[in-house]
Amino acid sequence: MAYAWRWFRSLIFVGQMYAMMGIMGVVFFPWAVFSRKGAFFTCKAYCRWVLWTARWMIGLHGEIRGEVPTDEVMIAAKHQSFFDILLIFHALPAAKFIMKRELLWTPIIGQYAYRIGCVPVDRGKRGLAIKKMVADVAKGTQFPGQLVIYPQGTRVAAGDYKPYKVGTAILSEELMQDCVPTGTNVGVFWKRTGIYRKPGRAVVEFLPRIPCGLPRREFMARLEDEVETASNALMREAGFDPDEMD
């Protein structure tokens, strides 16, 4: 009975979350089209709405740990569900994400993503995809802010593993920016698919910076170790043991 009630509350939460995305997106669209400030205001307001409703509707609290970057820096983050995107965007002063180009054609999301300076990238052959990503990101540097990249390239369920892609190291080199590894346990409470949301404390943790200029192999080894170690620790703190998934 308790599970059924929580599932029903999750359903209501998810429904209103997407409804509000549509309402806010349409209401503020004229401002967002002509002003990047308007696009940021709308996206930040939407994040606040979801974080607030998550607390009282499903008992899910968001928490940010570590020093929040405010300068021109690259954020290399663990990605487990939509909720970690909201937490990161809400915390950073001017986040812009590397995203799949197909998302540009998504109603509302695509237009706002473009206005805040997100960088759409094509998927293709590895070498060509990396070169195109570097070129696209270089074009996007006209918009100041914190560039967020998911080094595994996709959402990864809590306890699962996907390899880290070298494009993160290449971007750090090309942009000459430090990298902030970022761990999370969001997937314990908010899975990448499905309706059910668990109550608890979902954490995003900004870790000490990795300086630019390291050899790629060393950079990637350090990035993976730090993000995975921090994320595993946060998941265990939430009562989920990622080792049991091996």
Side-chain angles (χ1 to χ4, degrees):
M1 181 63 71
Y3 176 85
W5 174 238
R6 286 199 298 267
W7 192 94
F8 177 73
R9 291 174 64 179
S10 296
L11 178 63
I12 299 300
F13 167 76
V14 172
Q16 65 82 32
M17 180 184 76
Y18 285 111
M20 185 57 69
M21 179 186 292
I23 292 169
M24 293 181 67
V26 171
V27 168
F28 290 102
F29 189 73
W31 185 20
V33 166
F34 294 104
S35 169
R36 188 166 179 252
K37 180 179 179 181
F40 264 106
F41 173 88
T42 307
C43 293
K44 293 278 190 180
Y46 178 70
C47 288
R48 289 193 295 271
W49 173 267
V50 176
L51 295 177
W52 178 64
T53 54
R55 287 196 297 271
W56 66 268
M57 292 186 74
I58 57 175
L60 180 59
H61 298 256
E63 179 182 339
I64 298 296
R65 295 182 187 174
E67 182 180 352
V68 178
T70 58
D71 56 334
E72 295 281 325
V73 71
M74 188 169 67
I75 313 294
K78 186 80 170 177
H79 185 24
Q80 294 183 332
S81 76
F82 183 50
F83 200 55
D84 57 65
I85 295 177
L86 299 178
L87 285 169
I88 289 173
F89 188 83
H90 184 256
L92 295 173
K96 49 184 180 178
F97 294 79
I98 291 181
M99 66 181 194
K100 295 181 294 185
R101 187 170 295 275
E102 306 91 88
L103 290 177
L104 275 181
W105 306 108
T106 304
I108 300 175
I109 293 177
Q111 298 306 307
Y112 277 89
Y114 177 77
R115 291 298 293 141
I116 66 175
C118 290
V119 180
V121 296
D122 289 311
R123 289 183 172 181
K125 294 181 179 179
R126 181 178 175 186
L128 292 176
I130 290 176
K131 289 180 181 179
K132 185 68 166 58
M133 179 176 65
V134 170
D136 288 343
V137 170
K139 293 177 185 177
T141 55
Q142 60 182 309
F143 296 114
Q146 299 76 43
L147 179 67
V148 183
I149 183 172
Y150 296 114
Q152 291 170 292
T154 187
R155 292 172 296 175
V156 180
D160 283 354
Y161 173 79
K162 290 188 181 296
Y164 282 59
K165 300 183 178 181
V166 72
T168 308
I170 295 174
L171 278 179
S172 180
E173 291 175 9
E174 294 292 329
L175 299 176
M176 294 186 293
Q177 290 184 355
D178 292 344
C179 175
V180 178
T182 304
T184 190
N185 65 0
V186 163
V188 173
F189 308 98
W190 183 316
K191 297 184 183 295
R192 60 195 182 104
T193 59
I195 296 295
Y196 184 68
R197 308 288 187 261
K198 291 178 60 177
R201 185 165 298 276
V203 180
V204 164
E205 183 175 10
F206 295 110
L207 305 168
R209 300 182 180 212
I210 299 176
C212 64
L214 293 179
R216 289 180 187 176
R217 188 180 298 273
E218 180 181 348
F219 177 97
M220 293 305 302
R222 181 170 167 182
L223 174 65
E224 179 171 343
D225 177 68
E226 294 183 9
V227 172
E228 291 298 307
T229 298
S231 297
N232 289 342
L234 290 172
M235 286 187 278
R236 292 189 184 96
E237 180 183 310
F240 177 89
D241 188 352
D243 293 333
E244 294 181 357
M245 301 297 293
D246 293 341

